[in-house]
Amino acid sequence: EMRLVESGGGSVQNGGSLRLSCTASGFRIDSGVILWYRRPGRGGEEHDFVSGVSDDGVASYADSVKGRFTISRDIAKNMVFLQMSGLQAEDTAMYHCAAVIGSLTPFWGQGTRVTVSS
């Protein structure tokens, strides 16, 4: 079974940092694209793209997080990380990682919540 599990969320003050982890099982993270999305608020359905890393390691970022967030991966551990610094209130959201593997239907983890307070 292919699965993603996020961890590392929490509550921080404005300007703080967190590192999110996405642990994959049942597939190799370098076999496809791993993405981070976030869902602001509670109960909303919209997911905003945050960052992604391709199978060959190319990173991409939303304009809103460029220069503050860094995506990385550890292929041996089959994990993808999102280092977040300079956190702001508008970064408060549920963060999910997602995998796009070939022609398979993309799938998501359950998410980890990030709360930034002033």
Side-chain angles (χ1 to χ4, degrees):
E1 178 188 3
M2 294 184 288
R3 193 174 175 217
L4 297 166
V5 178
E6 301 92 337
S7 60
S11 296
V12 295
Q13 291 191 326
N14 208 35
S17 299
L18 283 172
R19 188 174 85 150
L20 305 184
S21 299
C22 175
T23 302
S25 57
F27 70 102
R28 291 172 54 100
I29 58 171
D30 58 345
S31 63
V33 179
I34 307 298
L35 306 161
W36 284 99
Y37 279 81
R38 63 187 180 188
R39 179 165 54 87
R42 294 183 184 273
E45 294 300 323
E46 280 195 24
H47 286 77
D48 300 325
F49 169 74
V50 176
S51 181
V53 58
S54 67
D55 55 352
D56 57 354
V58 176
S60 58
Y61 300 94
D63 287 344
S64 59
V65 307
K66 277 180 184 175
R68 300 188 298 124
F69 292 11
T70 302
I71 193 169
S72 62
R73 63 183 185 176
D74 186 326
I75 293 174
K77 294 183 178 179
N78 220 29
M79 296 177 70
V80 176
F81 306 98
L82 186 67
Q83 178 68 47
M84 308 186 295
S85 60
L87 284 163
Q88 305 162 1
E90 48 266 39
D91 296 315
T92 294
M94 181 71 84
Y95 284 72
H96 298 264
C97 61
V100 181
I101 310 298
S103 61
L104 298 176
T105 301
F107 55 97
W108 304 69
Q110 290 298 307
T112 185
R113 178 160 292 279
V114 172
T115 302
V116 184
S117 57
S118 57

